[in-house]
Structures are given as C-alpha cells and as structure tokens.
Amino acid sequence: FFSSRRRHTRCSGVSWARRCVQETGAVYANQDISCACGQTVIKAPVKCPSNPPFCNKICGKKLLCGHQCMYNCHQGECPPCRETTQKVCRCKQELIENVLCHKEVLCLQICNKSLKCGHKCTVQCHKAELCAIKDNGESCGQKCGKPKECGHNCT
C-alpha cells in the first residue's frame, strides 16, 4: 500500500548520507556532502548516490586515552591510538618504554604477592584480580609443607 512517493531513498545507504531528491524523480541531492571532519566539501548539486569526498587531513578527535587520533579523516569510531608511551606492566613491577598506547604490557617477573594461605603467588605478570581469585580461602594449588599432627607433611 505504500506509494513510491512516500518511500525515503538515501544516497548509497551510508550513515552520513542525507535524503536525496530522488523521491521526486531527481538524481541530484540539493545538499553539500562533506567528509567526516567537514573540511573537504562537494558542493550541491551532488549526483546520487555519492560517497563523501576523500580527505587527507588528520582526524584530530580526542581519544579516551587523552591523545588525538592521528589517522586521516574517517567516518565512525577512531582506530586504536598509535602513540607510543611508557606503561606500567599488569603486575605493576616494571615501567616499560615505547609501548603503543592502546596495548597492555606484561613483564617477565613472577607476581610474588603474599596470599592468605601463606604462599606467594607464582603466576607471571598478571592483573591483581588474579591473586584475589587465588586468595579466596581455597587452596592455591601449591604444596603446603607444614607438619601435620600425625608427623607427615601437608601436601
């Protein structure tokens, strides 16, 4: 029951696109089309469907890490940060140089944190939460070695 006049046609279906004048039979949009940053523009009338213009300017959006996106102008979410920085490893024992900002780093150290059971954590560089999992009152999996009343050592 829908007539073709009521249907909305969009240029190439891309999220940035605006409704074309196609619904009235024209093949040109009456609005300018710009790149994501707005610095490169194709002036109206624009043939439908059209892609946004290529732009070689730096995106420059502020990323969650605080750096600016250094990729060329683009649509949608920014790719991971390309900046290199110093980062503390997961176990917080070492400062690692020249690490990509978006990467998590590991060192080669053994955690060595004291657990409630009296043992030391023997897992290589990890997040503190892993010690909490091992430190929940259950056996940490290491041999106890303490003498029992019967004279044998705990295993």
Side-chain angles (χ1 to χ4, degrees), residues 117-131:
C117 61
H119 293 119
K120 301 275 186 186
C121 180
T122 58
V123 178
Q124 191 174 356
C125 186
H126 63 85
K127 291 183 179 179
E129 297 86 55
L130 185 57
C131 282

Side-chain angles (χ1 to χ4, degrees), residues 50-66:
S50 290
N51 291 323
F54 173 76
C55 177
N56 61 2
K57 308 253 189 296
I58 298 297
C59 170
K61 292 177 189 169
K62 188 172 183 175
L63 302 171
L64 292 175
C65 62

Side-chain angles (χ1 to χ4, degrees), residues 7-72:
R7 246 185 331 204
H8 297 296
T9 306
R10 293 185 178 266
C11 292
S12 70
V14 182
S15 63
W16 57 264
R18 294 172 179 85
R19 192 172 19 186
C20 285
V21 185
Q22 279 184 331
E23 50 193 56
T24 60
V27 290
Y28 288 92
N30 60 1
Q31 293 180 337
D32 298 346
I33 296 178
S34 66
C35 63
C37 72
Q39 295 184 48
T40 305
V41 178
I42 299 175
K43 296 286 186 186
V46 179
K47 187 170 181 169
C48 292
S50 290
N51 291 323
F54 173 76
C55 177
N56 61 2
K57 308 253 189 296
I58 298 297
C59 170
K61 292 177 189 169
K62 188 172 183 175
L63 302 171
L64 292 175
C65 62
H67 293 123
Q68 284 189 328
C69 178
M70 298 306 291
Y71 288 87
N72 282 355

